[in-house]
Structures are given as C-alpha cells and as structure tokens.
Amino acid sequence: MDEGYANLPTSHLLGSVPAVTQDDRKPGVPAAQDAGATSRLQEFPPAPGGNGGGYRPPGAPADGDVENQANWKGYFNVASYAPYFNVDTDVVVDRLISSVYPMDGFYRKIDVNPDMYGPLWITTTLVFMLAAFGNFATYLMQKKKDPEIWNFDVGYFNWAASVMYGYAIVVPAVFFFLFQYFGSRPNLVRFWCMWGYSLFVFIPASVLLLIPVEFLRWVIIALSGGASSWFIVLNLKDCTQGADMMVLIASAAALQFALALFIKVFFFA
C-alpha cells in the first residue's frame, strides 16, 4: 500500500509545480543567456554594457570602455570631467600645431583621447586678447585723428566672453544633434574639442590685427577665417566617414568664417 502511494505521479496532484527540464527551455536560447537576461531585469537603470543599453550621455564613454565608465559619476560631479583635462603639454602642443596645419589628421588624433583642457584655455585666452587688443587697435586707428576722444571700452570683455564661450559650446552641440539626426554617429566631446582648437588660429591673428592698416587687417582676417573653416571641413569629413553631409559641412564652414568677420568688424573696426 505504501509502495503504491510512493509511485503516484506527483505532476497531477493539486498545487504541484512540475520541474523545468533542459528540454523544456526555449529552443535556441542558451541557459547562460537566459539567466543573464533575468538578472538584468533586476537592475535599474540597466548597466551601460548590457543589451538593454540604458541611457548613455552624449560624449560619455562607449560600451566596453570600462575605465571611463567607472570614471563617469554624473553630470553634476566634477570628477566625471577630470579625464578630459588629464592631458600632457606635448599632446596639447601637437594638437595646436595640427589645428594650424589641418592636413595632419587632427580628428584621428583626438579619436582616442579628446581633451577639454586645450579648448578651454584657447577660448579664455582669445576672450582676453580680443578685448585688450581690440581696444588697443581702436586707439591706434583713432590716434591719427583725435586721441583725446578715445576711451577704453570695458564692454569688449562682455561681448568677447559671450560670443566666444557661446560659440565654442553651443555651435558644436547644435551640429552634433544635426549630424545625429541625418544618420551620422558623431561624438559630442570630440566636437567640442575640435571646435575649440579651431579657434586657436584667431589668437595670432588678433596680434597681427594691431597693424593700423585696414587693407592688411582684412587680408589677415580672411586668411585666418579661411584656415579655420578649412580645418572644420576636413575634420567633419573624417567624422562623417564618407556619408553625404556636404550641406552641414558647408554650413559649419560658413559659420566659422562668419565668426572671423564678426571679430574683424566688432573688435578691430
């Protein structure tokens, strides 16, 4: 009697749960993958390396870059941006030279390690040089007429800071989203880095614009604006990797040249 009860099939008893055997699994789904998918459901937000992906901020480290992913601690944490300022002086100097000589493959140089140190100091230096040299150039031009009516214009600092910092931050961000919208896969930090170094050519140009000869000033600003625009064009072509983005690239070059004209007209009129 006891032996008969022991041999009853338990799968038909009320409240029993049949065990899952290896044959009952979905075909084509390995056991390890099935377990991994289950464990990821318990994570919120999903890990950056998971198949779910989760949200990765623009310019944040790509999948697989474990070291940079560990360094990212959020938008409002200064430590998250520290790796972008960890760059040697010789690297910055090499990138400055490449920004003046754009045929040197600048975008490929910053592909692995884009920095914000160079663009920050380039923009800050340009702000002070435009404000100071712009006032001095105005003095040299008015000295021939009536030097007594000249006054130092402090407003040049406000205009220089607003335009240069705004241009270096907003314009790359706008083109980043435009390139993404039209199917390219750019990187926001690399765009900020590239546009920041593109402003370096205006630093020596602002010194040469002190020459009190109007024709030479226009030649200098045309050459510097053309060089900066060409730098943007070549690097955006490398970024798009053969995609047809000539309208956006031409727009970026035109905007860069317009910045050069603004520098001449407003600060060195």
Side-chain angles (χ1 to χ4, degrees):
M1 187 68 177
D2 295 338
E3 183 178 357
Y5 281 112
N7 293 330
L8 287 176
T10 58
S11 60
H12 299 288
L13 296 179
L14 183 62
S16 63
V17 179
V20 178
T21 62
Q22 188 68 23
D23 297 335
D24 293 331
R25 295 185 181 274
K26 293 181 180 180
V29 180
Q33 181 178 350
D34 192 16
T38 305
S39 63
R40 280 196 300 273
L41 292 176
Q42 301 175 3
E43 298 180 9
F44 184 82
N51 292 337
Y55 175 71
R56 183 160 54 90
D63 294 344
D65 195 346
V66 179
E67 181 179 358
N68 285 335
Q69 287 177 359
N71 289 333
W72 183 259
K73 297 177 176 60
Y75 286 107
F76 302 103
N77 194 322
V78 179
S80 300
Y81 306 97
Y84 300 116
F85 293 87
N86 185 17
V87 61
D88 295 333
T89 304
D90 55 346
V91 175
V92 175
V93 172
D94 180 62
R95 292 177 178 181
L96 291 175
I97 296 174
S98 298
S99 68
V100 180
Y101 182 67
M103 307 298 293
D104 202 17
F106 178 86
Y107 198 82
R108 289 189 294 272
K109 289 184 177 182
I110 66 171
D111 189 30
V112 178
N113 183 28
D115 72 283
M116 292 289 100
Y117 180 85
L120 176 63
W121 283 108
I122 289 171
T123 309
T124 304
T125 303
L126 187 59
V127 166
F128 282 93
M129 292 187 73
L130 288 179
F133 289 167
N135 275 285
F136 190 48
T138 305
Y139 168 76
L140 292 177
M141 294 297 290
Q142 292 187 358
K143 183 180 179 180
K144 302 176 182 178
K145 303 175 183 178
D146 189 0
E148 296 182 358
I149 64 173
W150 178 83
N151 293 314
F152 186 86
D153 191 354
V154 184
Y156 275 17
F157 281 98
N158 297 331
W159 275 100
S162 301
V163 173
M164 292 299 113
Y165 285 123
Y167 186 90
I169 295 174
V170 175
V171 171
V174 170
F175 277 97
F176 166 77
F177 288 110
L178 287 176
F179 273 83
Q180 272 200 333
Y181 179 78
F182 287 103
S184 182
R185 299 185 62 185
N187 182 281
L188 181 57
V189 176
R190 293 189 184 97
F191 268 29
W192 274 331
C193 180
M194 179 187 68
W195 252 278
Y197 278 99
S198 72
L199 301 177
F200 173 72
V201 70
F202 295 118
I203 293 180
S206 63
V207 178
L208 296 176
L209 287 173
L210 289 175
I211 301 174
V213 179
E214 191 66 14
F215 174 75
L216 288 179
R217 286 182 173 181
W218 280 108
V219 172
I220 292 168
I221 203 64
L223 291 176
S224 58
S228 184
S229 300
W230 186 242
F231 173 81
I232 292 292
V233 168
L234 291 181
N235 287 284
L236 286 181
K237 283 184 177 180
D238 289 342
C239 166
T240 54
Q241 299 176 352
D244 189 10
M245 300 282 182
M246 286 308 300
V247 175
L248 288 179
I249 294 176
S251 301
L255 197 60
Q256 195 78 3
F257 196 82
L259 176 66
L261 295 179
F262 173 81
I263 291 174
K264 168 64 182 72
V265 172
F266 190 85
F267 295 100
F268 298 94

